[in-house]
Amino acid sequence: MKSQVEVQDPITDRILDEWLEEPAPFLSILHAIQDHYGYLPEPALRRVSQRMDIPISDLYGTVTFYHFFQLEPKAIPDIRVCENSACCLHDLDQLCEEVAGADLGIEHSGKIEKISCPGRCDVPVPLLIGEKFLHGAKPGAIGEAVEATMPLPPETGQQECLFQHIRDGVSDLKVALEKGAWKSPLLAASDPEKLISELKTSGLTGRGGAGFPTGVKWEVVRNENRGPKWIICNADESEVGCFKDRVLMAHTPHALLEGMTCAGLVTGAEVGIIYLRWEYPEILESLQAAIDEATAAGYLGEDACGSGRPFRILIRRGAGAYICGEETSLLNSLEGKHPFPREKPPFPTTHGLFQQPTIVNNVETFCAVPPIVEHGGQWFSDLGLGEQNGMRIFSVSGDIQRPGNYEVPVGTPLRQLLVEFAGGPLPGREIQGVTMAGVSGGLVGAEDLDVRLDPASLDGLGAMLGAGGIVVHDDTRCMIKAARESMHFLKEESCGKCFPCRIGTTRMTEILDELGSGQPVREGIMEEIEDLEEVLGETSACGLGLAAPYITRMLKKYWPDQIQQKLNGSTQASEGADDE
Amino acid sequence: MMSNENRMTIDGAEVAFQPGETVLEVARRQGAFVPTLCYDERLDPYGSCRLCVVEVEGRRLPASSCTLKAESGMEIRTGSDPIRKMQSTLMEMVLSENPDDECPRCRDIGTCEVHDLAEKLEVGRERFLGAISNASKDDSNPFLLRDYDRCISCYRCVRICDEVEADHAITMTGRGWNKGIATAFDGGLMDSDCTLCGQCIYTCPTGALADKKMVGQGEIPGEVEVTRSVCPYCGTGCSINLHSRDGKMIGVTPVLDGPVNEGALCVKGQFGFDFVNSGDRLTRPLIRKNGELTPVSWDEAFDYTAQKLMSVRADHGPKAFYAIASGRAPGEGSYMLQKFTRAVMNSNQVDNCSRG
Ligand SMILES: Cc1cc2nc3c(=O)[nH]c(=O)nc-3n(C[C@H](O)[C@H](O)[C@H](O)COP(=O)(O)O)c2cc1C
Ligand code: SF4
Ligand code: SF4
Ligand code: SF4
């Protein structure tokens, strides 16, 4: 067979020699090759195929799945511009025109490539040139774009939990230790049952969107007797409007490492892997520095925290794919397989990475573990309002005075978050609606701003709380367009495996385009929407497709008048002129 | 004892199942109509078309029955109104993905799962119209037409190439709407690991993949006869269907329930039948006389051959004789040849070409 012809590529061989003995090395190998050559040359991939025993066709197909693996050399980088909900509230056409010819301090080709949300909705519009981000590029004010820094969360003046020390410089190990960091793993090791019971008492549920009880998850993995087990931190954070994991990793990395170490010591896993989205290069660096520091100080390594047991933490960098945040797709991605989601069951707790028992938790979930160990499950639970447990972080962006991350008690009214903490709408404007869960949790209209931020309350409205991203739209916006942008993101990020989602998100986007166009629409378009909603919401194979109908259902619920206007053939946007 | 064990309910009827069976298998055995497009019983369950969804008592959402393992006590409903409606919508969505013009495969060998199913579900290509996905690939190989205009991205071709043929020649590329099927680095099949076995053609539920030799056959008048036979090439004994019209072969298709091949064939059995109707084929004996092949009678040919063989044995001994049976000859012929080699030529040097 043709692929059996030996390929020579000493550089790639050296990279392979360096990585092949490491756990889940696939993504790191490809990144190392791309870092060296500027792209993934064919001979290098053929060499990887031979030595990793992956058929070259499969390897090629897998590489083409990701946004940021390149198969062609590109001497001078293009300018990549976020095209999603918070950023497209700005006039992106104008922005693109302006930046193409601008001196941005970094050499660029002047060509524009639109990308999905890189998790910087609080500093719109981010530009990505090579691996450097600029923040805050606004049409008409390109000069205001600055080199990226990671903003701290604005203060709420209320009690915080995960954010309690975040403004104190705890990314530095010494400061973190002064604030009580790295105490929990030893407790976890000495009494794992107690830790699991505290987690259960705390009511902590997964902060990645699905909301599964964390204590139960850890218990299942602890009780499995196969191994090696794995601890995986899902830091793919790719949903539009979500940037909470970013702030945690940037400013309180030891809380994350500590939480993961607890998981390792409770379950007997010896390796933790952080699956970090490609679009956080700054964090790749700072988080690795924190790992190195913690390892040097003995909190990680052969005798983690003095427990007598090994635990180490590795970072694996994604390559640009929202679906890789879905936990089984993430596992396939780590294993070097085509990153389609897997059929569930079996779940990762029993058949995770390399089919071994695996904890997959979100960054925020892990970060909540140390304070629960320190203060007890009941304490954490009591932080929630009423029946609710604990605190949650919400990423707020869009038409709002103080975009950023806010940690509030679960059950806090949406209005309080937006108006009291995030400063409310811009002067002279009113909030018309917000997106939920990022965007895949649908929309909530102004009339329901008093809804409480807990999963059940959002459910009651027909929306979804999800991973806590909220993009605010004020009264100048066309909500059909807002819905269209959300759907367009899901369409772009659908893995394409299952028919309802691949075709459904595409057709929905087209239909919303048609509705928003102001031109007469085809007959039966509302029935088409309804039928697509049904098929998407009932038959899709994973959460991406299943969530898609929230967007249109909530649009119809809160803004029937805007739709009716379009159906009547009116070219007028809602209450004001659409500022696009 | 344990009356419930390995029993489940399908559409109200209690049925037994074998552990490990999927709900789809059990339901179909029960006679339930459960449509599929990404399913091929030779392949691992994949769960991508979602047409096989069924209602499962106690579950909020329908489940794809091809990936759902049967469990004791399960209650399944296959064809409720909501399920049928979703299946119809899905089918309309599938039809909307591809252009409307006529498809070569349907015409040429008269089967297309997509169009059959659309008919069964009584839907057409009328709603959800919009962008059309994929694109035809200009592939210069002699056998396989790759017209991805018709592709529905079920990846059965990729999976049969991986799971059954173990050739791993093709892969899915891209993602979402911008997906496709390609060889490594997107070249032609001839530059890939493809063995041109053609198996992807016969799992493909549409006309996206077709036998180039069969393309256009549908337009020629006259009944096509299908004769089940055994591939004459090697000793494996793969079952094949010979398609012929007016006594002339026009194509080969694999027999899915062939006991040795279960639908698999290799490039020779699948495409190498040109010799049957070839003008170059020998129809009578020829002897080279003065450098020219000259037709002779059978008697003359036998005498000539016998005499030559005898003189070889006499002059050089039995070891000078080596017989190779053609893989294309029937078993009886091969038997006769080894008998002749041993008993007449006194040589034990005998082999069959398909061992090479
Ligand atoms: C399309 C999709 C994208 C997801 N993206 C993320 C993500 O970026 N980060 C994350 O933690 N969870 C994400 N999830 C949820 C994960 O599948 C999984 O539930 C989570 O990582 C488990 O951790 P938790 O229990 O701590 O939330 C996503 C789910 C879906 C369906
Ligand atoms: S629902 Fe969408 S993202 Fe999920 S498996 Fe199906 S196609 Fe892929
Ligand atoms: S002809 Fe055979 S080897 Fe080639 S792509 Fe099809 S299944 Fe694979
Ligand atoms: S070519 Fe045929 S078998 Fe392959 S994915 Fe397309 S429709 Fe399916």
Side-chain angles (χ1 to χ4, degrees):
Chain A
M1 279 194 301
K2 292 156 189 101
S3 62
Q4 279 168 359
V5 180
E6 277 276 311
V7 184
Q8 297 299 326
D9 181 1
I11 304 275
T12 301
D13 269 319
R14 206 193 60 223
I15 291 169
L16 285 160
D17 290 340
E18 184 184 331
W19 281 100
L20 276 183
E21 296 300 310
E22 289 290 306
F26 178 77
L27 291 165
S28 301
I29 288 170
L30 294 190
H31 282 307
I33 295 170
Q34 179 154 305
D35 286 348
H36 180 87
Y37 288 105
Y39 72 113
L40 296 171
E42 178 173 336
L45 286 179
R46 289 198 182 272
R47 196 72 190 124
V48 172
S49 151
Q50 283 161 357
R51 290 194 52 193
M52 294 195 76
D53 210 8
I54 304 171
I56 184 65
S57 57
D58 293 355
L59 178 61
Y60 172 78
T62 300
V63 163
T64 63
F65 189 89
Y66 297 98
H67 276 308
F68 295 111
F69 282 138
Q70 271 172 227
L71 288 161
E72 304 283 338
K74 199 165 263 180
I76 305 169
D78 299 339
I79 308 171
R80 285 157 162 158
V81 181
C82 171
E83 65 168 353
N84 291 136
S85 302
C87 290
C88 70
L89 295 176
H90 302 272
D91 186 341
L92 288 184
D93 289 341
Q94 194 198 329
L95 179 78
C96 290
E97 213 168 284
E98 286 177 41
V99 293
D103 174 9
L104 298 165
I106 308 169
E107 196 187 9
H108 62 80
S109 67
K111 287 199 209 85
I112 306 285
E113 184 194 336
K114 298 270 181 73
I115 55 170
S116 290
C117 173
R120 292 146 196 274
C121 324
D122 49 343
V123 284
V125 174
L127 308 175
L128 171 62
I129 305 161
E131 287 207 27
K132 277 260 176 302
F133 272 98
L134 296 177
H135 287 170
K138 302 254 168 65
I142 293 300
E144 285 174 25
V146 292
E147 205 172 310
T149 52
M150 301 273 105
L152 280 163
E155 293 181 51
T156 59
Q158 316 268 325
Q159 181 180 10
E160 294 175 314
C161 178
L162 277 57
F163 281 176
Q164 197 189 348
H165 302 300
I166 201 164
R167 301 172 198 87
D168 302 337
V170 286
S171 57
D172 183 72
L173 178 61
K174 221 173 88 223
V175 182
L177 290 172
E178 281 164 22
K179 300 290 177 190
W182 283 109
K183 289 207 184 101
S184 58
L186 208 50
L187 295 168
S190 61
D191 196 349
E193 303 292 341
K194 169 125 196 308
L195 189 145
I196 284 173
S197 113
E198 292 296 334
L199 281 182
K200 287 185 181 169
T201 309
S202 75
L204 177 66
T205 53
R207 302 304 197 221
F212 190 81
T214 307
V216 177
K217 190 182 277 188
W218 288 30
E219 187 172 44
V220 174
V221 176
R222 173 173 163 75
N223 291 342
E224 281 290 316
N225 48 24
R226 295 181 308 127
K229 299 175 183 177
W230 299 91
I231 306 300
I232 291 177
C233 171
N234 189 341
D236 195 49
E237 183 157 74
S238 303
E239 169 104 19
V240 176
C242 293
F243 44 92
K244 67 187 179 61
D245 298 340
R246 187 197 76 202
V247 81
L248 289 169
M249 290 188 285
H251 297 297
T252 175
H254 289 285
L256 169 61
L257 304 180
E258 191 180 336
M260 289 178 73
T261 307
C262 288
L265 296 177
V266 160
T267 57
E270 297 183 356
V271 180
I273 297 179
I274 300 173
Y275 187 97
L276 179 67
R277 73 178 305 194
W278 187 89
E279 295 90 331
Y280 287 164
E282 306 92 330
I283 288 179
L284 178 69
E285 244 175 70
S286 62
L287 196 56
Q288 187 60 51
I291 292 172
D292 293 344
E293 224 184 341
T295 308
Y299 296 105
L300 295 170
E302 280 312 303
D303 175 17
C305 300
S307 65
R309 301 228 301 274
F311 191 73
R312 59 185 179 127
I313 296 181
L314 313 166
I315 303 178
R316 293 289 176 264
R317 196 177 184 194
Y322 166 56
I323 194 61
C324 288
E326 196 284 332
E327 55 188 359
T328 58
S329 170
L330 184 155
L331 296 171
N332 280 342
S333 174
L334 281 176
E335 291 182 18
K337 301 202 172 113
H338 207 79
F340 285 157
R342 299 176 183 171
E343 266 313 309
K344 290 193 265 190
F347 293 93
T349 41
T350 58
H351 295 77
L353 190 63
F354 303 114
Q355 297 300 316
Q356 298 298 332
T358 303
I359 288 181
V360 183
N361 271 138
N362 174 252
V363 173
E364 184 184 345
T365 314
F366 278 122
C367 288
V369 173
I372 290 173
V373 175
E374 186 185 353
H375 302 289
Q378 194 57 48
W379 172 85
F380 183 83
S381 166
D382 290 343
L383 293 174
L385 298 184
E387 300 286 282
Q388 305 300 326
N389 303 306
M391 314 271 290
R392 283 190 76 134
I393 301 169
F394 290 90
S395 306
V396 182
S397 63
D399 300 323
I400 194 85
Q401 298 267 9
R402 288 203 298 160
N405 288 295
Y406 297 88
E407 187 181 33
V408 298
V410 179
T412 298
L414 175 58
R415 187 187 302 279
Q416 189 184 11
L417 171 66
L418 297 182
V419 177
E420 194 175 316
F421 301 143
L426 304 181
R429 306 271 179 86
E430 270 174 46
I431 294 175
Q432 185 181 188
V434 304
T435 69
M436 290 307 301
V439 293
S440 61
L443 299 150
V444 173
E447 65 208 71
D448 277 326
L449 282 192
D450 290 316
V451 66
R452 291 184 175 274
L453 292 167
D454 60 70
S457 300
L458 266 301
D459 228 32
L461 295 183
M464 180 174 69
L465 187 65
I470 293 174
V471 185
V472 181
H473 290 68
D474 69 25
D475 51 0
T476 63
R477 308 295 176 183
C478 168
M479 294 313 287
I480 295 176
K481 181 160 189 310
R484 184 267 174 204
E485 295 304 336
S486 301
M487 194 60 79
H488 173 73
F489 166 73
L490 296 183
K491 165 194 179 270
E492 288 298 307
E493 296 297 330
S494 161
C495 80
K497 178 182 172 185
C498 75
F499 292 26
C501 170
R502 180 185 71 229
I503 310 173
T505 54
T506 302
R507 295 294 179 244
M508 278 290 206
T509 308
E510 290 168 347
I511 287 174
L512 290 168
D513 270 334
E514 192 173 335
L515 265 182
S517 71
Q519 304 299 314
V521 297
R522 75 183 103 136
E523 192 110 340
I525 205 163
M526 295 314 287
E527 289 77 40
E528 286 192 16
I529 294 183
E530 203 158 306
D531 288 352
L532 289 173
E533 285 168 353
E534 194 173 38
V535 161
L536 274 163
E538 307 248 325
T539 72
S540 295
C542 89
L544 190 150
L546 290 172
Y550 282 116
I551 296 168
T552 43
R553 286 193 174 129
M554 294 295 97
L555 175 70
K556 290 187 288 185
K557 171 174 170 172
Y558 290 110
W559 296 280
D561 48 326
Q562 294 192 16
I563 296 176
Q564 201 50 50
Q565 274 181 21
K566 300 288 183 183
L567 289 176
N568 295 343
S570 158
T571 53
Q572 202 80 35
S574 62
E575 292 104 67
D578 182 7
D579 87 343
E580 291 274 85
Chain B
M1 300 260 311
M2 301 279 291
S3 60
N4 219 4
E5 190 148 342
N6 296 340
R7 299 185 77 76
M8 64 191 298
T9 314
I10 302 231
D11 296 329
E14 202 185 296
V15 296
F17 64 85
Q18 299 291 320
E21 271 189 309
T22 63
V23 170
L24 177 69
E25 289 167 328
V26 183
R28 282 194 169 165
R29 196 172 54 237
Q30 268 317 96
F33 167 50
V34 186
T36 56
L37 282 176
C38 70
Y39 179 78
D40 178 326
E41 62 181 17
R42 296 169 291 172
L43 303 173
D44 292 343
Y46 200 57
S48 71
C49 76
R50 314 306 282 181
L51 277 157
C52 71
V53 284
V54 294
E55 288 167 351
V56 187
E57 185 60 40
R59 287 204 194 192
R60 193 172 59 86
L61 293 175
S64 57
S65 58
C66 71
T67 54
L68 184 66
K69 289 262 186 283
E71 280 171 30
S72 301
M74 239 179 196
E75 280 179 47
I76 301 290
R77 284 175 305 278
T78 62
S80 67
D81 289 349
I83 291 283
R84 284 284 180 259
K85 166 132 186 282
M86 287 192 282
Q87 287 165 338
S88 299
T89 305
L90 265 171
M91 203 55 221
E92 290 182 275
M93 290 161 69
V94 170
L95 292 174
S96 79
E97 247 193 320
N98 293 331
D100 203 15
D101 54 342
E102 241 187 282
C103 158
R105 175 94 178 279
C106 273
R107 220 172 44 222
D108 295 335
I109 52 171
T111 57
C112 169
E113 285 181 40
V114 169
H115 290 149
D116 285 353
L117 200 52
E119 222 161 86
K120 247 188 173 148
L121 291 167
E122 295 173 358
V123 296
R125 188 177 177 284
E126 281 149 25
R127 302 202 301 154
F128 310 115
L129 301 184
I132 284 168
S133 71
N134 290 340
S136 183
K137 286 222 160 98
D138 190 13
D139 197 314
S140 62
N141 82 80
F143 302 133
L144 276 101
L145 181 80
R146 301 169 75 199
D147 174 13
Y148 295 122
D149 272 354
R150 318 236 71 88
C151 174
I152 59 165
S153 304
C154 64
Y155 305 137
R156 277 163 68 168
C157 54
V158 175
R159 291 181 284 136
I160 204 148
C161 191
D162 288 356
E163 294 173 30
V164 178
E165 293 295 319
D167 285 327
H168 307 282
I170 46 177
T171 179
M172 46 264 185
T173 56
R175 75 156 90 127
W177 188 255
N178 299 317
K179 80 286 180 245
I181 310 283
T183 61
F185 306 99
D186 208 5
L189 287 177
M190 299 288 269
D191 301 316
S192 75
D193 291 337
C194 174
T195 62
L196 296 172
C197 71
Q199 293 325 289
C200 46
I201 297 177
Y202 292 103
T203 189
C204 179
T206 75
L209 300 173
D211 179 343
K212 282 185 177 171
K213 293 187 198 174
M214 297 257 247
V215 170
Q217 284 292 344
E219 278 165 13
I220 303 170
E223 187 91 3
V224 175
E225 211 179 314
V226 180
T227 314
R228 182 167 171 152
S229 184
V230 173
C231 172
Y233 270 105
C234 79
T236 306
C238 298
S239 299
I240 54 176
N241 281 323
L242 304 176
H243 294 236
S244 60
R245 186 191 287 113
D246 300 333
K248 284 219 156 136
M249 265 187 72
I250 56 170
V252 170
T253 53
V255 176
L256 294 192
D257 65 357
V260 277
N261 57 322
E262 294 179 348
L265 290 177
C266 78
V267 59
K268 292 189 290 180
Q270 180 66 65
F271 296 114
F273 60 87
D274 290 349
F275 68 90
V276 176
N277 300 324
S278 168
D280 294 342
R281 201 171 163 180
L282 296 185
T283 50
R284 50 185 304 189
L286 303 169
I287 293 178
R288 198 177 299 276
K289 293 182 174 169
N290 300 324
E292 284 226 350
L293 287 170
T294 316
V296 295
S297 70
W298 279 107
D299 282 342
E300 187 182 343
F302 280 135
D303 288 345
Y304 179 81
T305 312
Q307 186 211 332
K308 286 280 179 192
L309 287 175
M310 298 303 277
S311 72
V312 166
R313 194 181 63 177
D315 298 349
H316 305 286
K319 284 242 149 93
F321 186 79
Y322 172 39
I324 309 173
S326 166
R328 221 171 283 172
E332 294 83 347
S334 301
Y335 176 82
M336 290 301 289
L337 184 71
Q338 65 82 26
K339 196 82 180 167
F340 174 81
T341 306
R342 294 194 167 110
V344 179
M345 299 303 289
N346 304 126
S347 166
N348 57 4
Q349 300 174 147
V350 60
D351 211 333
N352 185 291
C353 79
S354 45
R355 260 177 26 111

